[in-house]
Amino acid sequence: MNIAVVVRQVPDLIEPLEIDSSGATLDLSSASFIVNESDDHALEQAILVKEAGGATVSVVALDFGDVDNTLYTAAAKGADRIIKLSLDGEPPSPRAAAALYAAALKPLNPDLVLVGVQAHDELDGGLSPFLAAALGLPYVGVICGVRRGAEPGTVTVCKEFPGAVMAQLNVKLPVVLGIVGAEQPPRYVPVAKIRAAMKSAQFEEQVAVAPGATPPLSICRLEPPASGSHAEMLSGSEDEVAARIAEILAQKGLRK
Amino acid sequence: MATVEAPRGAELLKQLGKAGDGKPPLGCMQCGMCAASCPLGHAMEFPPRKLILQAASGHLDKVLTSPSLWMCVACYLCSKRCPRGIELTDGVWPALRDAAMQQGFQPPAELQETFQNVFKYGNILGRSPRQRMDWAKDLDVRVLDLSKERRPVDVLWLVGCYPSYYPRNQLVARAFARLLTQLGVTWGVLGVQERAIGECDRMFGEEGLFETLVEANRKVLDKQDFRKLVVLDPHAFHALKKYYPRFGAWYAVQHYTTFLADRLEQLKPLIAKPVEAVVTYHDNCCLGRRSGCYDPPRSLLELVPGVKLVEMSRTRDNALCCGGGGGGMWLDAHIVAQGGQRLSDRRVAQAAETGADILAVSCPYELARFEDAAKVAGLEGRLKVRDIIEILAECMDLGERTTL
């Protein structure tokens, strides 16, 4: 089975996000980046399918942020091919990114494309369905488990529905799956293996190009979320805040 | 899960013997002194004796998959008492943990997060490296940030992760900054360039992460002009003294207790008022059993007028560990799930038995561990936990708030 995984870089929320002087974009010069969490699960799921019975795992990523570390870690986890797409300018919105990823994925002719179902910087919709559309493949989202199907050319997937309802679906390949969680948490790889990958892993570097231009997203203004009227923002010294929390808990009957 | 070739048990132990960590583990005569001494041995599937027996007799996988592999809290009791001089704590445990991870066995989730924090952010708390200097905000003494202004200094103070970020420990960092200034030494810190030293990562078996930190720290330290490093964290002291030189990184380093104990005569005139309290001192394992440093911390406490120093039933090389070393800081839940106990709970009970008002410590892990344990034991208000620096700052009137 030929599996392709898309991994994205997203701003790391340990740093405060800042809006630049235009008021319409984030100031990414002071941001640091980490791998998108559900993409990390998508990679783990791909490696699990590979380990369960042989597959080739190709990882595709746009080149910005801390992407090299993410890709070396992917290689250390067991990814077979690493494709890094160089980028001219700022990271694109999900619709524009879908076109770039699709152009890089098509020549790989994947049976299964796994991508995280969400990212915290998706401004104009989720990448995963856009990607399926750009590839002309069917899409199933909110997946939390993928196994080789009983029939050749199929996979059995576990899909989450609201109300904690889980469904098991048999899906024909090729397909794009939006992963919400792998069957197990993304594995820890010791740093020695990542260091070994830094010496041995080869990236296939390509320029990110897409046929036809995606109409750019027009952002009027970005603002930090305002405090709502129903939230009480606690301020003051530690003791004052603690006393107020104790009072609230007592009011709610959670503490005598 | 993918596995890689790793040395088998007996071979692994043989290699360890050549690595210079004490005597070869294969010389173990199975006396059981280690297992009986280990404060968590009763809850381990494989206490040290069985660990060696199983590994040497070809059952390495049993050892590598056992939850007990992640229960050692690096108290050094087994190493100290082993009649064959086998370096269990620094040698055998980290090597087996490393072998487990190399073969794809997963460490407890809490450890994974800690490793990732250190790898990504350079600190165990997973905080932004840019906030490294937050502890010194609005401080009333000048802190020379060597990452911004490179100048020769007598003392390059490595502040450490907890004192840099954790609010309770930040009070200690601020007091130490005042103390250094009072002593009139020229001193500076690395600011945003400071990273974890990596002792606990090495003890966890994350040798690759430790190497990464040694390389990064070396690059930063070698650009600075200083006479000695001073650290608040005994674990950092141990790693800088014993393991950094293995990578060619030699530094003169002192734990703050020995640094200050060398300056008792200069400290005396700074004393402004007595601290009337019965104090008992907890020998942390890295400074005590590992490095044999028992008297300098006590000499600092004896310097303070009004302090009556009393000893716990287990003291000096027989002291009971706080349970925070070797990764234990993050593994309380794992250890309790295996039937072990938080050692800090036992230790505060021993401190309370002495009738002390203050449990004095000299390791950044212990403030949080013992203050929590004192709350659990209902000792809050009766037994205060204070770093020696805080007690000195109090008697020298350097504290920003009355802590005693």
Side-chain angles (χ1 to χ4, degrees):
Chain A
M1 194 187 298
N2 188 3
I3 308 176
V5 185
V6 171
V7 292
R8 286 166 283 178
Q9 296 286 299
V10 290
D12 188 345
L13 301 180
I14 67 154
E15 305 285 0
L17 292 177
E18 280 166 31
I19 297 166
D20 77 359
S21 54
S22 76
T25 51
L26 287 177
D27 179 6
L28 293 179
S29 64
S30 62
S32 64
F33 290 84
I34 49 168
V35 63
N36 179 40
E37 191 178 350
S38 60
D39 295 346
D40 205 17
H41 279 265
L43 173 63
E44 179 64 32
Q45 188 59 64
I47 302 287
L48 288 172
V49 174
K50 177 184 168 177
E51 286 170 357
T56 308
V57 176
S58 306
V59 172
V60 181
L62 288 170
D63 184 7
F64 69 93
D66 195 21
V67 73
D68 283 2
N69 254 331
T70 299
L71 292 177
Y72 286 128
T73 306
K77 287 179 178 180
D80 302 286
R81 284 180 73 179
I82 307 278
I83 298 162
K84 188 164 87 167
L85 306 173
S86 67
L87 199 61
D88 196 15
E90 291 290 297
S93 72
R95 278 182 312 150
L100 297 172
Y101 287 124
L105 287 170
K106 267 183 189 152
L108 301 176
N109 209 15
D111 302 305
L112 190 58
V113 176
L114 302 183
V115 57
V117 77
Q118 61 188 355
H120 60 232
D121 64 349
E122 290 181 324
L123 279 177
D124 58 349
L127 170 73
S128 50
F130 287 138
L131 183 59
L135 286 165
L137 293 177
Y139 172 72
V140 193
V142 201
I143 300 299
C144 52
V146 182
R147 303 230 167 137
R148 208 170 284 272
E151 302 283 319
T154 66
V155 284
T156 302
V157 302
C158 186
K159 179 174 164 64
E160 251 184 57
F161 286 97
V165 175
M166 301 289 250
Q168 209 176 52
L169 309 172
N170 292 320
V171 181
K172 274 190 196 157
L173 301 175
V175 67
V176 175
L177 299 178
I179 302 289
V180 69
E183 284 166 277
Q184 67 177 38
R187 69 195 60 198
Y188 182 77
V189 275
V191 174
K193 282 193 183 179
I194 299 174
R195 284 161 67 99
M198 284 174 177
K199 286 180 189 142
S200 63
Q202 301 286 324
F203 295 165
E204 299 169 39
E205 302 201 20
Q206 300 174 10
V207 178
V209 279
T214 309
L217 199 59
S218 163
I219 301 168
C220 307
R221 204 171 60 186
L222 280 182
E223 273 182 85
S227 305
S229 59
H230 297 294
E232 181 186 346
M233 302 306 285
L234 303 182
S235 60
S237 71
E238 283 172 25
D239 288 345
E240 285 161 1
V241 171
R244 180 66 192 127
I245 291 172
E247 195 184 324
I248 293 168
L249 292 176
Q251 279 168 5
K252 305 276 179 200
L254 296 166
R255 177 182 172 273
K256 283 180 188 160
Chain B
M1 182 140 305
T3 61
V4 293
E5 283 303 310
R8 305 308 302 162
E11 196 189 329
L12 181 72
L13 296 176
K14 204 191 270 176
Q15 282 183 12
L16 255 181
K18 290 179 193 155
D21 274 308
K23 299 281 169 16
L26 286 176
C28 170
M29 59 185 177
Q30 293 288 302
C31 70
M33 176 61 92
C34 51
S37 301
C38 176
L40 292 167
H42 62 284
M44 288 179 182
E45 183 186 7
F46 299 120
R49 177 186 73 79
K50 288 187 182 170
L51 207 67
I52 292 179
L53 178 67
Q54 294 291 339
S57 57
H59 302 296
L60 186 62
D61 281 4
K62 268 197 204 169
V63 171
L64 300 188
T65 50
S66 168
S68 64
L69 185 63
W70 307 98
M71 286 181 74
C72 167
V73 294
C75 80
Y76 293 96
L77 261 174
C78 57
S79 305
K80 185 84 185 167
R81 293 180 180 171
C82 174
R84 282 282 168 96
I86 297 169
E87 191 48 277
L88 289 149
T89 316
D90 275 350
V92 174
W93 286 92
L96 290 171
R97 289 168 168 180
D98 178 48
M101 285 191 281
Q102 292 300 329
Q103 293 197 36
F105 301 122
Q106 296 283 292
E110 304 92 315
L111 275 192
Q112 297 180 23
E113 192 186 337
T114 308
F115 290 150
Q116 275 158 354
N117 284 340
V118 175
F119 189 47
K120 175 108 184 109
Y121 307 116
N123 67 79
I124 46 185
L125 291 111
R127 298 280 298 279
S128 165
R130 286 184 214 153
Q131 292 165 0
R132 262 276 173 193
M133 287 298 285
D134 279 9
W135 67 270
K137 220 170 171 183
D138 305 325
L139 194 60
D140 49 12
V141 294
R142 181 165 184 255
V143 180
L144 173 63
D145 182 346
L146 297 166
S147 70
K148 292 185 178 153
E149 187 183 346
R150 209 183 323 160
R151 273 207 271 152
V153 286
D154 291 332
V155 168
L156 199 169
W157 168 28
L158 298 174
V159 183
C161 295
Y162 274 97
S164 296
Y165 290 110
Y166 196 67
R168 176 68 183 87
N169 293 91
Q170 284 177 339
L171 296 174
V172 179
R174 292 166 76 86
F176 192 61
R178 293 193 185 94
L179 198 49
L180 280 175
T181 307
Q182 284 290 311
L183 278 172
V185 290
T186 60
W187 62 280
V189 298
L190 290 174
V192 295
Q193 290 181 345
E194 187 178 323
R195 279 187 192 81
I197 291 300
E199 188 263 0
C200 53
D201 306 297
R202 190 194 161 272
M203 300 301 284
F204 292 156
E206 239 303 4
E207 189 68 31
L209 179 54
F210 181 64
E211 276 181 45
T212 307
L213 291 169
V214 174
E215 283 168 16
N217 282 323
R218 205 178 159 182
K219 219 175 266 176
V220 172
L221 287 173
D222 287 352
K223 283 192 192 128
Q224 298 295 343
D225 183 357
F226 58 92
R227 290 167 70 97
K228 70 173 66 164
L229 297 174
V230 171
V231 295
L232 301 190
D233 179 4
H235 303 92
F237 168 72
H238 171 47
L240 285 162
K241 191 138 184 97
K242 183 162 178 193
Y243 292 107
Y244 272 56
R246 294 192 177 182
F247 297 88
W250 299 82
Y251 302 108
V253 56
Q254 274 191 304
H255 183 256
Y256 84 80
T257 49
T258 47
F259 172 77
L260 292 178
D262 286 349
R263 288 163 181 75
L264 288 180
E265 291 309 312
Q266 288 159 266
L267 288 169
K268 272 181 198 163
L270 301 175
I271 292 169
K273 62 180 187 194
V275 175
E276 300 293 346
V278 180
V279 178
T280 190
Y281 172 68
H282 165 74
D283 289 282
N284 65 71
C285 307
C286 249
L287 204 58
R289 261 188 301 275
R290 187 68 195 84
S291 310
C293 175
Y294 300 111
D295 293 329
R298 288 177 171 79
S299 69
L300 293 171
L301 290 168
E302 280 160 356
L303 189 70
V304 180
V307 162
K308 184 181 170 228
L309 191 59
V310 293
E311 294 291 346
M312 285 183 258
S313 53
R314 292 189 65 166
T315 183
R316 301 173 81 96
D317 65 355
N318 194 34
L320 181 68
C321 173
C322 79
M329 193 69 180
W330 297 274
L331 290 175
D332 283 331
H334 173 78
I335 287 167
V336 170
Q338 298 305 314
Q341 193 188 10
R342 285 204 329 172
L343 297 181
S344 45
D345 292 349
R346 282 169 60 186
R347 192 57 168 162
V348 290
Q350 292 176 358
E353 275 169 18
T354 65
D357 310 304
I358 295 175
L359 170 57
V361 300
S362 60
C363 167
Y365 289 9
E366 286 160 358
L367 285 173
R369 293 193 69 77
F370 287 145
E371 282 186 349
D372 280 357
K375 281 178 202 159
V376 170
L379 293 166
E380 199 178 8
R382 198 144 66 82
L383 181 72
K384 293 172 190 160
V385 184
R386 297 289 179 263
D387 197 287
I388 291 176
I389 291 169
E390 292 179 289
I391 298 170
L392 290 174
E394 176 70 12
C395 84
M396 291 170 191
D397 245 341
L398 301 174
E400 61 196 292
R401 74 175 198 196
T402 307
T403 54
L404 298 176

